[in-house]
Amino acid sequence: QGQSLEAIWMAHGGGFPVTVRTFYNYIEAGIVDIASLELPRKVRYKKRRKADPEPARDRIDRTGRRYEDFLALAEGERLGAVQVDTVVGHVRNSKRVLSIHFPRFIFQLYLLLADGRPGTVVSALDAVEIGLGSREAFAALLGVLLLDRGVEFDDYRGMERSVLEPGKKRCRVYYCDAMRPSQKPNCERNHEELRRILPKGRSDFDQLSAWDVAVACSHVNSYPRKALGGACPLSLASQVLPEGFLETFGIELVEADDVVLRPSLIPHAVKQ
């Protein structure tokens, strides 16, 4: 099902006679009939190209919203900043997935976008505010957004203004430096689980429905995390997010033994 041994051990507590490390040793020694290729692969990052000494002029004026401005915020605001990104399929695909990462409980909300236009992202954030029920609730949970410089995030005014209270702001938007996705590492790392379900280069995002994305979101966030003491992000998110919010987007808790992080979860969108 694409789960790591660590996740299985955390889900079942002391139900095994040996430690995870010992079981890995059994696999390497051939004592247990499990091939190493059956285990989740470690992410391999390509060496990133260095930015040009003099980058091209920005498409938009980011004055007051650059990464240096983000670093000037109080520590609590920086640590609680919500990291936002998009995940894409084939180059020819119009659809993409908006990922909204809440670092405080390692929860990542996935929403299907019809295209990569800035207005489409703004509409998705509007849906989140409506789902939360108020501008105040949005500001409390997503008061600071950290994004990359993709075209889809160019409309910072639209992202910052409230849809429920016209004329008022719901958040503040900040941008990472050009070609520096490492400045929002939590969001980047958590894409690993989604990519197990929708592998890069093999996934046709135009075949995805909002329900497919909700299913993927449910399974990824029901996966036990060592950083949470064996709990899953969804169990913590359900205690923080308003009642009914997750149901609005079709997200539900999946039992640990039923979590699937393989393309078989959404086979119609992945080339085998």
Side-chain angles (χ1 to χ4, degrees), residues 197-237:
I197 300 169
L198 298 169
K200 190 173 183 178
R202 294 172 50 202
S203 303
D204 185 350
F205 278 32
D206 284 349
Q207 298 302 314
L208 294 174
S209 66
W211 173 250
D212 293 327
V213 174
V215 169
C217 186
S218 299
H219 281 254
V220 167
N221 288 290
S222 296
Y223 191 47
R225 305 298 177 95
K226 186 176 182 180
L228 298 177
C232 68
L234 194 48
S235 64
L236 297 184

Side-chain angles (χ1 to χ4, degrees), residues 75-86:
E75 182 180 15
E77 290 183 295
R78 296 198 309 273
L79 294 177
V82 172
Q83 301 175 9
V84 185
D85 202 355
T86 53

Side-chain angles (χ1 to χ4, degrees), residues 1-2 195-199 202 212 215 219 258-272:
Q1 296 174 192
R195 280 304 190 187
R196 294 187 196 176
I197 300 169
L198 298 169
R202 294 172 50 202
D212 293 327
V215 169
H219 281 254
D258 296 327
V259 170
V260 176
L261 299 179
R262 290 189 183 277
S264 57
L265 184 66
I266 311 176
H268 57 275
V270 182
K271 181 179 180 181
Q272 301 299 323

Side-chain angles (χ1 to χ4, degrees), residues 2-178:
Q3 296 193 30
S4 69
L5 296 184
E6 286 83 358
I8 296 171
W9 254 250
M10 285 188 290
H12 290 277
F16 298 103
V18 297
T19 64
V20 175
R21 182 65 265 169
T22 299
F23 199 78
Y24 271 119
N25 291 337
Y26 288 170
I27 293 173
E28 293 171 4
I31 297 172
V32 179
D33 188 20
I34 297 177
S36 295
L37 289 175
E38 294 180 55
L39 303 175
R41 299 177 61 186
K42 294 181 179 179
V43 178
R44 295 181 176 88
Y45 294 99
K46 294 181 180 179
K47 186 176 181 180
R48 299 192 183 277
R49 182 173 67 85
K50 292 184 179 180
D52 297 330
E54 296 183 6
R57 180 183 299 177
D58 275 344
R59 294 183 304 275
I60 60 174
D61 181 7
R62 304 180 203 274
T63 302
R65 295 179 173 82
R66 297 190 175 93
Y67 192 67
E68 60 192 46
D69 301 305
F70 172 76
L71 294 179
L73 296 175
E75 182 180 15
E77 290 183 295
R78 296 198 309 273
L79 294 177
V82 172
Q83 301 175 9
V84 185
D85 202 355
T86 53
V87 184
V88 299
H90 295 308
V91 175
R92 66 177 183 275
N93 287 162
S94 296
K95 293 182 181 179
R96 57 198 63 202
V97 173
L98 180 71
S99 66
I100 303 173
H101 181 76
F102 299 82
R104 284 180 292 180
F105 35 97
I106 320 181
F107 175 75
Q108 198 153 36
L109 175 64
Y110 298 138
L111 300 175
L112 184 64
L113 301 178
D115 52 54
R117 295 182 299 170
T120 306
V121 171
V122 171
S123 295
L125 293 178
D126 289 347
V128 172
E129 183 183 357
I130 293 169
L132 290 172
S134 69
R135 179 185 67 85
E136 290 81 5
F138 189 100
L141 289 167
L142 300 97
V144 175
L145 302 183
L146 182 62
L147 318 94
D148 61 33
R149 299 193 176 200
V151 176
E152 66 270 32
F153 299 130
D154 277 358
D155 187 5
Y156 56 78
R157 291 188 180 87
M159 290 187 284
E160 290 182 342
R161 62 103 181 101
S162 171
V163 67
L164 295 178
E165 296 185 43
K168 293 186 178 181
K169 280 191 174 184
R170 60 189 175 193
C171 67
R172 289 170 290 165
V173 167
Y174 296 91
Y175 295 92
C176 295
D177 292 330

